[in-house]
């Protein structure tokens, strides 16, 4: 007689193993998934777990201590309820369009705690931002001139900072956004000229912003970038028209999407940051408020993209689960949002969490393109039409970073639970 193999429900990805479960059901915000699906009334939908967002912010705040202000980058998830929730937890909101600015202001956040970064702000957006009194992070000379003109026209003193493109790059970012030629920020060597120009206008020049890159899991690289950024800002301070009151060191902390990804060592980031702030920035720039701004890290792991199996088919030995969602809502999971090599996001069958009847399956969406692949040949509990397939890590750059109009399917719902 051979020994029975030890059989466990499928939980190969650490993120799958970590989700809360009751019996067969994934719990989102404490609500069993089938109950939540009934409450939402239609699939597919995005669900964001309020408590997980709160817990993540508390964890970051505890690590940072009081010396660094925490901003939320609204672009990661601009759902108004999510932004409203975060507005009560963080110190500042970072926006990248007039619409995001309005979402941020709708929360009741003081415009002095809203910053507007990003290339290609239109003259109308700049005018709105000046009128609102938010901090405008200048990405070019042209933007600077438009801000000054809008201030003159409106009779308002614009509040500005300069986003600097440093002469160093940060390694390890999924998306690098500084160093070398960039559409982001003003090249460090051009900043002195811009500061001279700003000094001759009536704008309120507060300081500097550097955003080095997104989705970085290396605490060492993040720490190095923050330290190099601090040195750069200190070196520019002499040329400031006034004192430096604002230093935004960016963020870019990543989350684990793939089985071999390890979470960022937050302790290490905060230890190094404490040294950079305490020993370099505070003595050199005593009036400066130091900020970091995080998007993905605060909301990414709190999000679930919930789809329903519409069809189950076997094609030449391969099992396909065809779901009612797809890349038009969760582009990144399909591998088409900048990934070089496609790898599977963590997926699970949210109403068969305890099932021991497992199989290899490929989860595809309902679009007529082979690109619409949510999970390629992964171990899953055997699922049937009606079951709920869930993509994890869907809280950041999901719905609003996806081609929602492609194939004209209805928009999915979003709920904060
Ligand atoms: C200026 C700026 N701030 C913040 C972020 C948020 O980055 P993340 O979601 O990686 O924290 C981005 C992302 O592109 C950005 O460009």
């Amino acid at each position: 007689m051979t020994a029975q193999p030890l059989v466990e429900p499928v939980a190969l990805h650490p993120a799958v193993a970590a989700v809360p479960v009751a019996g067969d059901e994934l719990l989102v915000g404490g609500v069993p998934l089938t109950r939540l699906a009934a409450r939402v009334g239609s699939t597919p939908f995005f669900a964001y777990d309020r408590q997980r967002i709160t817990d993540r912010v508390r964890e970051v705040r505890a690590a940072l201590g009081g010396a660094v202000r925490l901003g939320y980058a609204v672009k990661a998830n601009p759902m108004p309820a999510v932004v409203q929730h975060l507005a009560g937890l963080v110190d500042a909101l970072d926006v990248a369009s007039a619409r995001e600015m309005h979402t941020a202001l709708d929360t009741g956040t003081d415009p002095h705690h809203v910053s507007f970064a990003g290339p290609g702000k239109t003259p109308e957006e700049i005018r709105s931002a000046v009128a609102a009194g938010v901090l405008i992070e200048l990405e070019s000379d042209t933007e600077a001139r438009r801000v000054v003109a809008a201030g003159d026209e409106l009779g308002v003193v614009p509040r500005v900072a300069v986003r600097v493109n440093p002469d160093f790059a940060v390694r390890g970012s999924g998306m690098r956004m500084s160093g070398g030629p960039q559409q982001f920020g003003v090249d460090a060597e051009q900043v002195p000229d811009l500061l001279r120009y700003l000094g001759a206008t009536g704008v309120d020049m507060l300081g500097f912003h550097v955003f080095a890159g997104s989705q970085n899991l290396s605490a060492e690289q993040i720490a190095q970038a923050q330290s190099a950024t601090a040195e750069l800002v200190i070196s520019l301070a002499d040329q400031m028209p006034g004192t430096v009151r604002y230093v935004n060191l960016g963020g870019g902390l990543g989350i684990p999407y793939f089985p071999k990804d390890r979470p960022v060592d937050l302790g290490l980031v905060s230890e190094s940051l404490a040294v950079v702030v305490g020993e370099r920035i505070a003595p050199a720039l005593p009036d400066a408020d130091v900020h970091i701004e995080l998007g993905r890290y605060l909301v990414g792991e709190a999000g679930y993209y919930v789809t329903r199996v519409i069809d189950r088919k076997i094609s030449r030995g391969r099992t396909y689960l065809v779901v009612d969602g797809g890349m038009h809502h969760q582009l990144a999971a399909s591998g088409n949002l900048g990934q070089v090599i496609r790898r599977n996001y963590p997926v699970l069958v949210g109403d068969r969490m305890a099932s021991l009847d497992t199989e290899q399956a490929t989860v595809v969406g309902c679009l007529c393109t082979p690109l619409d692949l949510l999970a390629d040949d992964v171990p899953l509990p055997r699922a049937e039409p009606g079951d709920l397939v869930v993509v994890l890590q869907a809280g950041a750059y999901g719905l609003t970073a996806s081609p929602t109009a492609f194939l004209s399917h209805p928009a999915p719902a979003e709920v904060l639970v």
Side-chain angles (χ1 to χ4, degrees), residues 193-227:
D193 279 348
L194 178 57
L195 293 177
R196 261 189 296 284
Y197 165 72
L198 292 171
T201 69
V203 300
D204 188 11
M205 167 61 190
L206 279 93
F208 300 98
H209 174 213
V210 174
F211 186 83
S214 186
Q215 180 52 20
N216 200 327
L217 292 169
S218 163
E220 288 82 4
Q221 303 294 349
I222 294 166
Q224 258 180 33
Q226 289 173 339
S227 165

Side-chain angles (χ1 to χ4, degrees), residues 13-16 214-217 253-263 295-297 299-301 330 332-333 337 339 343-347 391-398:
H13 194 294
V16 174
S214 186
Q215 180 52 20
N216 200 327
L217 292 169
L253 274 63
I255 61 171
Y257 286 103
F258 309 115
K260 290 198 175 126
D261 287 350
R262 290 290 154 262
R296 189 191 313 267
Y297 194 72
V299 291
E301 289 169 271
Q330 185 51 6
L337 188 63
Q339 294 95 326
R343 288 177 292 172
N344 290 315
Y345 271 39
V347 293
V391 181
L392 302 184
Q393 320 298 60
Y397 307 109

